[in-house]
Amino acid sequence: TTFIMKTTTTTTTTFMKTKAATQVKKMNCCYCTRRRTGKQQLKSGGDSLSAAKKKTRTKRRMHFSKKTLSLRANLKVEVWETTSMPLDEEKAETFFREFWQKKPLLMRDAIPNFKCPLDTNELAGLACEDEFSSRLMRVREEDKKWTLEVGPFPEEVLQTLPDDQAWSLVINELDSKIPAMNSIITDLFPQFPRWRISDIQASVSPEDGGVGAHSDNFDVFLIQAIGDKLWSVADNEAYWPDKDESFVPNQDVRILKEFVADDSFLLKPGDILYLPPKIAHHGLGKPHEKGACSVTLSLGFLAPMHEEMIWSYAQQESSKYKDVRWRDPWMKPAELGKSGAIDKDAISHAWDVLKKAEPKSERDVAVWMGKHATAKRFGESIALFDEKGFLEQLGANKREIDYDAWEEAGFLQRNEGVRFAFIDSVNDNSMDNDDDDDSGLLFFAGGISWTMKTDEGKAIAYTLANEGELEFIGKPLKEKESVELLSQLINTEFIFIPSDEDEEDYDEDDEDHEEE
């Protein structure tokens, strides 16, 4: 049995382009990224409702080694049996107080009757496309070492993957291109700050397939989507990501040499496992049908390095002084025999230079952090970006807001490939001075910042950052800053007005999927 099963039809559909005008739509589910690979296709894991009725395999404890390692915590994962996402207020407070970045949590049937937005056929198709980031991790037969291959992949590579060997196909950043995947974040995880979320990735694995035992430096929610998956976890300092001696050397994938599980459990569709940083884990696919695949969706969180943050801020501030050179008109003759010395006045002057880069208030930090967190890729350098010049160029070549088209469509759509955020307060109250020209709500998109002072402008910023769609609010807009903001966002394609033509394309694609 191969990774892709035979079928009698060949269907080729056009993949959704990443350009904002055709990228995302107001719809409940998106199948426009479907691709059938020649004469063969993947078997999906089956319907999650019927699968839940099937008799599951006996749970078992994973042991990669009988050797008992030191610094063990004998972790026993707590289970919530009757919790559904999104968490209610009481459950959310309990989760952040007792579990977030502290200990794992297993939530049974957290998404009742969950149906994965994309089946295994469609996910495999995405791995063949340039628009999607994909990886294939598998064990090399000759030396049993793990290898890492980066997509896009030719169809024949996926067609020849065996179902009796360990491998996993991973597709990243699904939430930025697939509306239904993005809805998992917005609808089920509204209590989690969006700037902290990295992406949703899908892991496709055959029977007993996976990526090996490992640990990460970030938080993750593992959502079982298709088929089942047997997870084993361990809280052991010897397994932490920075313990290089615990990982197999000289291979592409970081896999632990030895792994002794503290707890094990079988996840079914709709179950969610939360893992804080450094908890070692190992997952084995358990599809519902022979020759099929198991799919796990991973909602990962960003974990920026302090070094990265300090460097980013320093770059931003240093760019303000790129043409300023050292001057020392106060210099005096060096004392006899001390020409090799750096005198105390030079040290004081150097200190004054460096202090210019220090934030004067938390608002200064807020401006930097908003740009840093919403850059195209989190932490991408913002120092070399001429924000003022960019916005001036947009103003000179801007397209006016098409109020009629906006009213007809009913809403403006946010480009989910762009990060949005706002900051409306800081602890030192440095944003509260109404007499300051820089006071007001800070709004960010794609590494660019705007200051919104009016109620209308603030309402637009709140809506775009929180909800992703801005309903038609009348014409024309009352405030100049609102007009400028929306015009600039439209010209950068950070937001767009959906068209009827795009709707028809999606409707036809959905009909094709239903027929198949």
Side-chain angles (χ1 to χ4, degrees), residues 24 30 51 367 439 500 514:
V24 291
C30 174
V367 173
S439 67
D500 291 337
E514 290 174 2

Side-chain angles (χ1 to χ4, degrees), residues 445-469:
I448 303 174
S449 66
W450 291 265
T451 300
M452 312 308 294
K453 296 177 175 292
T454 67
D455 290 341
E456 183 183 72
K458 291 177 182 179
I460 291 173
Y462 283 131
T463 302
L464 287 174
N466 288 327
E467 300 177 14
E469 293 178 1

Side-chain angles (χ1 to χ4, degrees), residues 82-93:
T82 59
T83 299
S84 296
M85 302 298 285
L87 299 175
D88 60 32
E89 184 176 354
E90 182 181 354
K91 283 290 188 181
E93 290 179 356

Side-chain angles (χ1 to χ4, degrees), residues 111 117 215 224 236 312 316 407 422 443:
I111 314 177
S215 58
Q224 191 55 29
N236 189 328
S312 172
Q316 173 190 271
E407 183 176 17
F422 68 85
F443 175 68

Side-chain angles (χ1 to χ4, degrees), residues 3 7 29 38 44 71 125 140 165 184 203 241 246 262 266 283 312 348 378 384 490 499 511:
F3 178 53
T7 183
C29 190
S44 72
L71 303 173
R140 195 162 49 204
Q165 295 179 16
I184 292 176
S203 301
S246 296
D262 292 333
L266 189 72
S312 172
S348 295
F378 189 89
L384 302 180
I490 289 172
S499 67
E511 291 174 3

